[in-house]
């Protein structure tokens, strides 16, 4: 009887080992390259640009990302009109 239990335990461990060996291959991330390239949206024209290529503007203490300097200027102009003067 004890022998049978040992055999069952061995079979179970063998099954777990095989499953553990198979698992990493199926659950590996499909596209790791997509996560490293972060995109940001231009608030002026709505275009999506890579964070590395975007024009960064600091307006009102906040970071904003733009596709070009023209959009940054347009955005800062809009900001000047919307914010009331002190
Ligand atoms: Zn733009």
């Amino acid at each position: 009887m004890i022998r049978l239990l040992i055999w069952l335990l061995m079979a179970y461990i063998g099954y777990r080992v095989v499953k553990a060996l198979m698992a990493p291959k199926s659950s590996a991330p499909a596209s790791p390259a997509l996560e490293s390239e972060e995109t940001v949206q231009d608030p002026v024209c709505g275009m999506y640009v890579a964070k590395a290529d975007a024009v960064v503007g600091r307006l009102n203490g906040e970071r904003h990302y733009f596709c070009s300097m023209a959009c940054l200027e347009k955005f800062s102009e809009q900001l000047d009109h919307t914010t009331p003067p002190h």
Side-chain angles (χ1 to χ4, degrees):
M1 190 63 189
I2 288 164
R3 248 187 111 140
L4 182 72
L5 281 173
I6 289 166
W7 272 111
L8 278 171
L9 193 72
M10 295 265 283
Y12 178 70
I13 290 166
Y15 165 75
R16 286 295 296 264
V17 168
V18 169
K19 213 181 169 187
L21 285 170
M22 303 286 270
K25 280 174 195 166
S26 58
S27 65
S31 49
L34 274 172
E35 283 174 40
S36 58
E37 191 144 337
E38 208 176 330
T39 52
V40 282
Q41 193 179 17
D42 186 320
V44 178
C45 65
M47 207 173 102
Y48 284 96
V49 278
K51 212 170 184 177
D53 299 330
V55 177
V56 186
R58 267 185 176 275
L59 300 153
N60 279 4
E62 270 186 272
R63 259 171 188 263
H64 296 277
Y65 296 91
F66 305 93
C67 67
S68 63
M69 280 302 288
C71 278
L72 195 156
E73 276 166 35
K74 209 181 263 184
F75 188 80
S76 63
E77 264 175 46
Q78 279 178 1
L79 215 68
D80 285 341
H81 288 298
T82 49
T83 47
H86 290 284

